[in-house]
Amino acid sequence: MELLNLHRIVDVTAAEGPGLRCAVWTQGCSVRCPGCFNPQTWTTRGGTAMAWPDLVSRVLAIEGIEGVTLLGGEPFDQAAPLGEFAAAVRAEGLSVMTFTGFRREELPPSKLLESTDLLVDGPFLVDQPEPSRPWVGSANQRFHFLTDRYDESIFTTPNRLELRIAPDGAIELNGFATTEVLEALLEGERR
Ligand code: SF4
């Protein structure tokens, strides 16, 4: 069985798509957009190996989520095992939102694409900042409603930024914010 290589999992977040979701960041990205906010996810080394059925068990044990969000890294670099995962959680009623740095037209048919309700595509372009839509970094990125699970009403969701402070003082952020907002926030933390 091809193992998943994962960068991070947040069991419950309101900052990575519609409603409460489990967010799964993959490790490894072949797209490599200049100005990427997550360059530590580019290498395929250093992630956590996990069999997709184990990830299914973990996600189905989380209470109160409406779906999962798959982010990168580049999820379609691991389309085979992630497709099995996505199909299994959808069969249990969860929705699947998948981000990709590829354009939809570039993606070959896959179980991951078939099992995605909401696809957000396109590379991050640092010179085209997104002015208003939630969750995306640049204006070229497109939302594809591949099933009737979601529609354009999701655009009324405000962008959120979540900050978690671990018992050891480590700070974890997720959600989308401009560099200016992040710097202001971290400056406040240092005070
Ligand atoms: S596809 Fe995503 S993770 Fe990969 S380089 Fe682009 S923004 Fe970064």
Side-chain angles (χ1 to χ4, degrees), residues 28-108:
C29 179
S30 59
V31 182
R32 306 198 170 188
C33 316
C36 167
F37 277 74
N38 273 331
Q40 68 276 21
T41 65
W42 288 6
T43 177
T44 54
R45 297 185 186 176
T48 302
M50 186 182 274
W52 66 263
D54 293 340
L55 184 59
V56 172
S57 300
R58 172 164 172 171
V59 167
L60 294 183
I62 302 169
E63 291 182 7
I65 55 172
E66 71 175 59
V68 297
T69 299
L70 306 173
L71 315 94
E74 172 49 55
F76 281 90
D77 285 354
Q78 305 181 42
L82 265 189
E84 299 298 335
F85 163 77
V89 295
R90 268 185 95 228
E92 297 296 327
L94 296 179
S95 64
V96 176
M97 178 181 190
T98 308
F99 284 80
T100 177
F102 295 108
R103 289 175 61 81
R104 180 183 178 185
E105 297 79 359
E106 298 173 303
L107 295 172

